[in-house]
Amino acid sequence: MAAVAENLPAAAEDQEPQCEAVPGLENQRRQIENGESGRDRPLRAGESWFLVEQHWYKQWEVYVQGGDQDSSTFPGCINNAKLFEDQVNWCLKKGLVEGEDYVLLPAAAWHYLVSWYGLEHGQPPIERKVVELRGFCKVEVYPVELLLVQHSDMGTRYTAEFSQTDSIDLVSCIAREQFLVSPQEETRLWVEKAQGSFERLCNTRVTLFDAALKSGQLIIMETRSKDGTWPSAQTHAVNRASKEDEDFQGQPGICGLTNLGNTCFMNSALQCLSNVPQLTEYFLKNRYLEELNFCNPLGMKGEIAEAYADLVKQAWSGRHRSIVPQVFKTKVGHFASQFLGYQQHDSQELLSFLLDGLHEDLNRVKKKEYVELCDAAGRPDQEVAQEAWQNHKRRNDSVIVDTFHGLFKSTLVCPDCGNVSVTFDPFCYLSVPLPVSHKRVMEVFFVSMDPRRKPEQHRLVVPKKGKISDLCVALAKHTGVSPERMMVADVFSHRFYKIYQLEESLSSILDRDDIFIYEVSGRSAICENSREDVVLPIYLRERTPARDYNNSYYGLMLFGHPLLVSVPRDRLSWDSLYHILLYRLSRYVTRPSSDDEDDGDEKDLEDKDSIPKPGHVARGSSQDPGPEQAGPSSRVAGGSRAPVDNSPGPSHWPQRARRKHLFTLQTVNSNGTSDRSNFNEDTHAQPYIAIDWEPEMKKRYYDEVEAEGYVKHDCVGYVLKKAPVRLQECIELFTTMETLEKENPWYCPSCKQHQLATKKLDLWKLPETLIIHLKRFSYTKFSREKLDTLVEFPIRDLDFSEFVIKPQNESAPELYKYDLIAVSNHYGGLRDGHYTTFACNKDSGQWHYFDDNSVSPVTENQIESKAAYVLFYQRQDVARRLQPQPSLSDPPAPPACGPPPNSEVMDLN
């Protein structure tokens, strides 16, 4: 017997030994407890161990240690009855403890004991697997028992046992088999948590241990409906389909998106992306499920990809007229806070975020390696480009890269040392500039010195980078008034926000500013002793009762349009100024009769009291007010308009207002208040004069309707016509050499300093689907505008062969030709607007116009417009590859992205 035992293989823990003879007791003990087959050896993940009842095993130890095979301590057959709950289902008792209730034996030792002593009739062996959890191996005595149910039938439950190392995908497979779910149907799993809450088991590739699943938990399998929705989401939908829509069956992909409140930008981007054929097929055929990346720190845990997949499946189910993208909107706001709320945004910005989010959620690279970017260093472009693309793919490999990513060549040249840096960089879309006009249209109001003439509204064409003097020259052509007799001011809230110097740039004036140009006396410089006019800023104020502790305080409120009035220096007195102003206001202020005049207490003052003379103000000096001041406090005379004299400073000006006739006059600061504490005596600041009206006097003599009246010059109807540009011109502009701006210099590794280098971009590798973003929104330091230039773009055969510098394959010209498949449109201006979409259905080839939840067919000649903002082009070889091959019996397919014959279309005009 010993010889037979010695011939047993040493590493036979997983195979049953041949039962030819029973070895001696000492040999039995050594084989069971020591050696490779003994219970003292270390655990190995994946192998099987068996439970043996503790009492039987102790009896066996006494038997073999006694050395007498005929002893009464013979243990008999292995009996594990005490480890089971019952003798029917043979369920293991709960709470069994190793060393007290059972011992663990490796497979070889178990098979030895069974061959030597046998197993109690009818009892099953208690086999358990060794699992490795967090680097430690252990025998999983108690498997995880899960209760499996279907969402559609919560009453029927099925109990299944799983190891903690089993994947969630195995749980899904077992559930699908149990509930007879076909392979074509899409399912997802939920687990019931505490207090009746449920949580999605998104990552099916993790183990039960990683998912923290415990025995007794309820697992619910949900099957996607035929309309692309999930049954559990229907109760939370904003507006479920009405009963008459339940049986709706339409063309897949012809589905609107409900506007949730300024979400047209999102709807437009989604409709464009949904009509990219290869990307939509990728989601409809569930290929994304195998590539969801839940561990990418740059991603969104697969949630953006899943939310987008839900939208695609619903839109392309053909069972919805429109759907509500509420869940998708919530997900986007969760991962990109700039899209929280319901403010209007840019469809291209949303598209950029979505493409990046989908890429990271579907990135096949689970662990990104460090890749050092290398410069060309004189190597051939082909070699450097191939290296750059391979490095890009080592870190970024997804359906987004396959579909949208291309490669361009970037060349930087140092202006000092001539060092040339060449790199190849990937791109997801091209942002191409539009040729910008060098002219600008500005609307101004001209106020003549002739009080009988109403202010005139003019529309002037001026250089975009011109100066204030150019604005005056342009106005002079319409009015005949010399530019030297003009002063330009920005009027805001009844006061002068700013009075401009001739040398200032027009870029500081925004389109929304109210610009008034006043005719004044000549601007030419005059010697100090000669007669000269002084230009005084004039405000209009009305006394209004304001509550005070004594109910006796009167406030003053600005109203009407301020004036710039030329006053001869020798007439700088209150009385003279009163009559000058009365003359300037004569168009809308009625002169009182002699009986109405009220001299009040003016006998105490001499009429020859003079207005304080302004000191010398140097040309170009300024004291720009803060926002709360809303007006300049100097420079109102437009340069050196007053000679230096010995007049007292502002603090010595007469502070008493002269109430005379219709109104009184008061020196004020640039803000229109009587507080002159901000005046600087050293600069002899120009005084501002306020005309103060009593309410009754204003009501009797001031005609507000006439005061607000103005006329429009013939030039107001002028519109600066913009010639249309070709898309190829924009692409040429994109590839044109430019010099870097001061805010974005390049660090030259040769000079070891930042340089304003020249930069040129060239296209090297084009993607399957090319996204072209037309940069219609222009932002500068002083201005923002939207360019409504008409860009002429081809529907078919957009040829990039002249722009791609990579050596081309002349035998395959379709590699460089593209057909249009979608357009994102923006109507309106900078502050408000509306986004819509033109898209070509991949199945029918028919173009449709998507306006939120409204969808209408259109013809190709309606697609091109000034609203075109983002263009989607598909390479022709890809379109042919995706086109289904018709059988001989099938009717001919409609042309790609073309209108079907006799189709009803909507006239967008």
Side-chain angles (χ1 to χ4, degrees):
M1 289 188 297
V4 174
E6 289 173 358
N7 291 332
L8 289 174
E13 69 265 22
D14 288 329
Q15 67 182 71
E16 297 187 24
Q18 297 178 357
C19 183
E20 296 181 359
V22 179
L25 298 182
E26 181 60 24
N27 285 337
Q28 289 185 37
R29 187 185 66 78
R30 285 201 302 268
Q31 292 183 43
I32 299 302
E33 295 189 351
N34 303 320
E36 184 61 28
S37 64
R39 62 187 292 253
D40 291 337
R41 71 171 183 80
L43 300 173
R44 298 188 183 96
E47 64 183 6
S48 295
W49 285 57
F50 291 80
L51 275 70
V52 177
E53 198 270 326
Q54 174 80 7
H55 181 268
W56 185 93
Y57 188 79
K58 289 296 184 183
Q59 184 69 26
W60 172 81
E61 285 185 326
V62 172
Y63 172 66
V64 296
Q65 289 172 1
D68 184 4
Q69 293 187 351
D70 299 326
S71 171
S72 59
T73 58
F74 181 74
C77 292
I78 301 175
N79 189 353
N80 289 332
K82 293 182 179 180
L83 302 180
F84 296 108
E85 290 278 4
D86 54 63
Q87 308 295 317
V88 179
N89 297 318
W90 301 103
C91 293
L92 204 64
K93 288 182 179 179
K94 305 296 182 184
L96 297 178
V97 180
E98 182 182 3
E100 296 181 7
D101 302 302
Y102 64 88
V103 294
L104 291 170
L105 298 178
W110 164 260
H111 294 311
Y112 283 138
L113 288 180
V114 172
S115 65
W116 298 334
Y117 298 95
L119 181 61
E120 192 71 28
H121 179 70
Q123 285 188 10
I126 309 176
E127 182 180 3
R128 294 294 185 263
K129 292 289 184 181
V130 177
V131 297
E132 183 177 359
L133 300 173
R134 294 180 180 175
F136 296 95
C137 291
K138 74 168 197 174
V139 178
E140 192 175 35
V141 176
Y142 292 101
V144 180
E145 292 185 356
L146 299 177
L147 304 178
L148 307 180
V149 298
Q150 267 188 308
H151 184 271
S152 58
D153 183 14
M154 297 290 288
T156 304
R157 300 188 176 188
Y158 170 74
T159 303
E161 290 186 349
F162 300 92
S163 168
Q164 286 184 302
T165 57
D166 288 337
S167 67
I168 302 297
D169 193 51
L170 178 62
V171 178
S172 178
C173 292
I174 297 298
R176 292 175 72 98
E177 291 176 4
Q178 178 65 28
F179 300 123
L180 304 177
V181 177
S182 66
Q184 291 75 27
E185 295 184 276
E186 186 180 351
T187 60
R188 63 182 184 180
L189 299 180
W190 298 79
V191 58
E192 185 179 27
K193 294 293 186 177
Q195 300 177 351
S197 61
F198 295 90
E199 182 180 300
R200 271 279 314 281
L201 295 173
C202 300
N203 190 355
T204 60
R205 294 188 286 272
V206 301
T207 64
L208 272 69
F209 177 79
D210 294 329
L213 296 185
K214 307 296 182 183
S215 291
Q217 283 189 293
L218 184 67
I219 304 297
I220 303 169
M221 188 183 70
E222 183 183 16
T223 305
R224 191 189 289 272
S225 305
K226 292 183 179 180
D227 64 354
T229 61
W230 293 103
S232 62
Q234 290 181 356
T235 55
H236 303 290
V238 177
N239 57 344
R240 287 184 293 175
S242 57
K243 290 187 177 181
E244 60 267 19
D245 290 341
E246 290 180 358
D247 299 327
F248 173 77
Q249 186 65 47
Q251 171 72 42
I254 310 305
C255 178
L257 296 172
T258 300
N259 193 323
L260 306 175
N262 287 326
T263 58
C264 57
F265 74 95
M266 181 183 75
N267 294 347
S268 178
L270 288 173
Q271 293 289 12
C272 287
L273 212 55
S274 172
N275 282 278
V276 176
Q278 60 269 49
L279 183 63
T280 295
E281 287 295 319
Y282 172 83
F283 283 98
L284 292 180
K285 294 181 179 179
N286 291 334
R287 293 201 292 268
Y288 76 99
L289 293 175
E290 298 298 322
E291 298 183 347
L292 283 170
N293 192 335
F294 299 98
C295 307
N296 188 352
L298 300 178
M300 290 116 190
K301 302 178 182 178
E303 294 184 34
I304 288 294
E306 287 188 325
Y308 178 75
D310 287 346
L311 274 182
V312 170
K313 289 175 181 292
Q314 293 177 49
W316 288 86
S317 68
R319 295 175 178 267
H320 300 280
R321 290 185 174 89
S322 66
I323 55 180
V324 183
Q326 181 67 61
V327 175
F328 180 83
K329 169 72 171 63
T330 303
K331 292 291 184 185
V332 169
H334 175 71
F335 290 105
S337 59
Q338 67 268 30
F339 297 114
L340 277 173
Y342 297 94
Q343 299 297 319
Q344 183 67 278
H345 292 280
D346 191 314
S347 67
Q348 191 272 333
E349 291 179 1
L350 188 278
L351 185 66
S352 176
F353 161 77
L354 181 55
L355 288 173
D356 185 63
L358 289 175
H359 160 64
E360 296 296 354
D361 273 0
L362 300 169
N363 199 344
R364 303 176 187 115
V365 179
K366 299 300 184 283
K367 187 176 181 181
K368 295 189 178 185
E369 56 181 307
Y370 172 75
V371 176
E372 185 175 356
L373 299 179
C374 299
D375 195 84
R379 293 180 294 163
D381 284 352
Q382 194 87 14
E383 177 186 341
V384 181
Q386 184 176 0
E387 178 187 84
W389 185 252
Q390 289 176 349
N391 288 341
H392 179 60
K393 292 278 285 186
R394 284 163 63 185
R395 292 174 54 87
N396 305 278
D397 185 15
S398 70
V399 66
I400 303 299
V401 175
D402 300 340
T403 307
F404 299 102
H405 282 206
L407 199 68
F408 60 66
K409 175 185 177 182
S410 175
T411 305
L412 288 162
V413 180
C414 178
D416 286 353
C417 67
N419 177 44
V420 179
S421 172
V422 176
T423 58
F424 287 82
D425 303 300
F427 67 86
C428 189
Y429 51 85
L430 297 181
S431 289
V432 299
L434 273 62
V436 179
S437 171
H438 297 292
K439 297 292 184 180
R440 175 184 178 186
V441 177
M442 298 183 65
E443 289 189 358
V444 301
F445 288 91
F446 174 68
V447 181
S448 172
M449 290 181 65
D450 185 353
R452 296 168 297 179
R453 293 178 57 184
K454 293 183 179 181
E456 289 181 344
Q457 185 183 17
H458 291 257
R459 180 170 289 178
L460 308 175
V461 180
V462 294
K464 215 165 206 178
K465 296 184 178 180
K467 298 180 179 180
I468 298 296
S469 58
D470 296 316
L471 188 64
C472 296
V473 170
L475 182 61
K477 296 177 182 179
H478 294 179
T479 62
V481 177
S482 170
E484 296 297 318
R485 295 168 58 87
M486 295 181 185
M487 293 188 67
V488 181
D490 181 358
V491 174
F492 176 74
S493 189
H494 312 294
R495 55 174 64 90
F496 291 116
Y497 183 78
K498 184 174 184 179
I499 299 178
Y500 293 94
Q501 292 289 332
L502 293 175
E503 296 79 12
E504 290 190 69
S505 172
L506 286 176
S507 61
S508 59
I509 298 179
L510 305 182
D511 289 338
R512 65 173 181 266
D513 291 343
D514 292 325
I515 301 301
F516 284 72
I517 300 181
Y518 297 87
E519 180 187 5
V520 295
S521 58
R523 284 177 169 271
S524 56
I526 305 175
C527 63
E528 295 183 3
N529 297 325
S530 63
R531 178 180 179 274
E532 181 188 0
D533 290 350
V534 176
V535 178
L536 295 178
I538 306 297
Y539 290 156
L540 299 173
R541 302 193 302 183
E542 179 183 5
R543 293 187 182 274
T544 56
R547 290 192 175 275
D548 196 1
Y549 294 109
N550 300 324
N551 289 328
S552 60
Y553 174 78
Y554 284 85
L556 289 164
M557 290 185 61
L558 291 169
F559 71 93
H561 298 301
L563 295 171
L564 289 177
V565 178
S566 298
V567 180
R569 180 172 292 277
D570 57 5
R571 295 185 62 187
L572 282 178
S573 66
W574 293 112
D575 183 61
S576 298
L577 181 60
Y578 171 82
H579 289 92
I580 291 174
L581 294 179
L582 194 60
Y583 172 73
R584 285 297 301 269
L585 303 178
S586 60
R587 181 171 57 85
Y588 45 89
V589 173
T590 305
R591 284 180 176 272
S593 64
S594 58
D595 295 335
D596 294 334
E597 292 185 358
D598 179 14
D599 290 340
D601 299 327
E602 292 177 15
K603 294 180 181 179
D604 296 334
L605 293 174
E606 294 294 333
D607 286 348
K608 60 182 181 181
D609 288 350
S610 62
I611 299 174
K613 299 178 182 180
H616 175 73
V617 182
R619 178 178 294 272
S621 65
S622 65
Q623 294 178 355
D624 289 337
E628 74 283 349
Q629 195 172 335
S633 58
S634 65
R635 194 182 45 172
V636 297
S640 303
R641 303 199 51 82
V644 178
D645 57 25
N646 297 321
S647 60
S651 61
H652 299 90
W653 292 348
Q655 303 301 312
R656 183 172 180 179
R658 300 293 306 277
R659 182 181 184 279
K660 190 168 186 175
H661 302 170
L662 303 183
F663 46 77
T664 59
L665 301 177
Q666 173 74 41
T667 55
V668 294
N669 60 18
S670 60
N671 206 31
T673 64
S674 299
D675 180 14
R676 297 189 302 276
S677 59
N678 62 335
F679 287 173
N680 188 335
E681 293 187 24
D682 295 333
T683 60
H684 300 282
Q686 176 76 45
Y688 284 60
I689 305 298
I691 299 176
D692 294 340
W693 289 82
E694 294 292 344
E696 286 298 323
M697 300 295 284
K698 177 174 176 287
K699 186 175 180 181
R700 288 173 59 186
Y701 300 107
Y702 188 89
D703 188 342
E704 293 192 25
V705 176
E706 181 65 24
E708 295 294 328
Y710 68 95
V711 295
K712 292 185 178 181
H713 191 269
D714 294 340
C715 64
V716 173
Y718 172 79
V719 177
L720 184 63
K721 294 183 178 180
K722 299 179 181 179
V725 299
R726 296 167 58 246
L727 178 60
Q728 289 84 341
E729 295 178 50
C730 300
I731 300 171
E732 287 177 3
L733 202 58
F734 175 79
T735 57
T736 300
M737 183 181 296
E738 62 178 354
T739 302
L740 299 179
E741 298 177 350
K742 293 181 179 179
E743 295 79 11
N744 186 30
W746 170 64
Y747 181 79
C748 178
S750 178
C751 298
K752 305 297 183 183
Q753 59 183 353
H754 289 89
Q755 300 284 2
L756 299 182
T758 59
K759 180 179 181 180
K760 189 178 189 307
L761 296 177
D762 292 294
L763 298 177
W764 181 268
K765 180 182 183 297
L766 295 178
E768 293 183 354
T769 300
L770 179 62
I771 302 175
I772 301 178
H773 165 225
L774 303 178
K775 298 172 70 173
R776 290 195 177 276
F777 298 103
S778 173
Y779 299 95
T780 64
K781 184 177 181 181
F782 295 103
S783 64
R784 299 183 303 166
E785 64 175 331
K786 181 194 174 184
L787 306 176
D788 59 353
T789 307
L790 175 63
V791 178
E792 297 174 341
F793 50 88
I795 305 296
R796 294 181 183 84
D797 297 326
L798 173 60
D799 192 353
F800 271 88
S801 58
E802 60 177 303
F803 301 109
V804 176
I805 64 172
K806 179 182 178 181
Q808 300 180 15
N809 182 4
E810 296 183 0
S811 62
E814 67 274 8
L815 294 177
Y816 310 100
K817 289 187 176 181
Y818 285 79
D819 294 334
L820 188 71
I821 58 174
V823 180
S824 175
N825 304 302
H826 179 266
Y827 301 92
L830 286 170
R831 297 185 180 181
D832 53 12
H834 184 58
Y835 288 91
T836 64
T837 300
F838 290 113
C840 177
N841 186 273
K842 68 180 182 66
D843 297 332
S844 66
Q846 167 68 49
W847 281 90
H848 287 82
Y849 181 66
F850 297 83
D851 185 358
D852 289 333
N853 58 353
S854 173
V855 185
S856 303
V858 293
T859 57
E860 290 184 1
N861 58 8
Q862 295 172 281
I863 297 172
E864 186 179 278
S865 72
K866 294 182 179 180
Y869 183 45
V870 184
L871 310 175
F872 283 69
Y873 278 94
Q874 187 176 58
R875 210 167 61 203
Q876 289 184 350
D877 67 308
V878 178
R880 294 191 180 95
R881 186 186 73 210
L882 296 175
Q883 197 170 5
Q885 299 298 327
S887 62
L888 295 177
S889 59
D890 292 337
C897 298
N902 300 325
S903 61
E904 294 184 3
V905 297
M906 180 187 68
D907 186 2
L908 295 181
N909 298 321

PDB file of all heavy atoms in Angstrom, residues 718-723:
ATOM      1  N   TYR A 718     -29.134 103.524 -45.596  1.00  0.00           N
ATOM      2  CA  TYR A 718     -28.007 102.867 -46.238  1.00  0.00           C
ATOM      3  C   TYR A 718     -27.649 101.582 -45.497  1.00  0.00           C
ATOM      4  O   TYR A 718     -27.604 101.539 -44.275  1.00  0.00           O
ATOM      5  CB  TYR A 718     -26.793 103.795 -46.268  1.00  0.00           C
ATOM      6  CG  TYR A 718     -25.526 103.135 -46.752  1.00  0.00           C
ATOM      7  CD1 TYR A 718     -25.304 102.945 -48.113  1.00  0.00           C
ATOM      8  CD2 TYR A 718     -24.570 102.698 -45.849  1.00  0.00           C
ATOM      9  CE1 TYR A 718     -24.142 102.326 -48.561  1.00  0.00           C
ATOM     10  CE2 TYR A 718     -23.408 102.084 -46.291  1.00  0.00           C
ATOM     11  CZ  TYR A 718     -23.202 101.900 -47.650  1.00  0.00           C
ATOM     12  OH  TYR A 718     -22.060 101.286 -48.079  1.00  0.00           O
ATOM     13  N   VAL A 719     -27.424 100.541 -46.245  1.00  0.00           N
ATOM     14  CA  VAL A 719     -26.991  99.264 -45.686  1.00  0.00           C
ATOM     15  C   VAL A 719     -25.685  98.875 -46.356  1.00  0.00           C
ATOM     16  O   VAL A 719     -25.587  98.862 -47.596  1.00  0.00           O
ATOM     17  CB  VAL A 719     -28.047  98.154 -45.919  1.00  0.00           C
ATOM     18  CG1 VAL A 719     -27.534  96.819 -45.391  1.00  0.00           C
ATOM     19  CG2 VAL A 719     -29.363  98.532 -45.258  1.00  0.00           C
ATOM     20  N   LEU A 720     -24.683  98.579 -45.556  1.00  0.00           N
ATOM     21  CA  LEU A 720     -23.381  98.177 -46.079  1.00  0.00           C
ATOM     22  C   LEU A 720     -23.491  96.765 -46.638  1.00  0.00           C
ATOM     23  O   LEU A 720     -23.629  95.804 -45.895  1.00  0.00           O
ATOM     24  CB  LEU A 720     -22.319  98.241 -44.976  1.00  0.00           C
ATOM     25  CG  LEU A 720     -20.880  97.940 -45.409  1.00  0.00           C
ATOM     26  CD1 LEU A 720     -20.407  98.989 -46.416  1.00  0.00           C
ATOM     27  CD2 LEU A 720     -19.956  97.905 -44.196  1.00  0.00           C
ATOM     28  N   LYS A 721     -23.484  96.686 -47.950  1.00  0.00           N
ATOM     29  CA  LYS A 721     -23.650  95.384 -48.594  1.00  0.00           C
ATOM     30  C   LYS A 721     -22.353  94.590 -48.481  1.00  0.00           C
ATOM     31  O   LYS A 721     -21.268  95.094 -48.731  1.00  0.00           O
ATOM     32  CB  LYS A 721     -24.026  95.570 -50.063  1.00  0.00           C
ATOM     33  CG  LYS A 721     -25.404  96.203 -50.264  1.00  0.00           C
ATOM     34  CD  LYS A 721     -25.757  96.291 -51.744  1.00  0.00           C
ATOM     35  CE  LYS A 721     -27.150  96.885 -51.922  1.00  0.00           C
ATOM     36  NZ  LYS A 721     -27.526  96.988 -53.363  1.00  0.00           N
ATOM     37  N   LYS A 722     -22.522  93.331 -48.086  1.00  0.00           N
ATOM     38  CA  LYS A 722     -21.372  92.456 -47.939  1.00  0.00           C
ATOM     39  C   LYS A 722     -21.404  91.421 -49.051  1.00  0.00           C
ATOM     40  O   LYS A 722     -22.386  90.691 -49.205  1.00  0.00           O
ATOM     41  CB  LYS A 722     -21.386  91.765 -46.573  1.00  0.00           C
ATOM     42  CG  LYS A 722     -21.317  92.735 -45.400  1.00  0.00           C
ATOM     43  CD  LYS A 722     -21.354  92.003 -44.085  1.00  0.00           C
ATOM     44  CE  LYS A 722     -21.307  92.975 -42.913  1.00  0.00           C
ATOM     45  NZ  LYS A 722     -21.377  92.286 -41.607  1.00  0.00           N
ATOM     46  N   ALA A 723     -20.339  91.372 -49.800  1.00  0.00           N
ATOM     47  CA  ALA A 723     -20.264  90.398 -50.882  1.00  0.00           C
ATOM     48  C   ALA A 723     -20.110  89.005 -50.296  1.00  0.00           C
ATOM     49  O   ALA A 723     -19.408  88.806 -49.290  1.00  0.00           O
ATOM     50  CB  ALA A 723     -19.079  90.726 -51.784  1.00  0.00           C
TER      51      ALA A 723
END
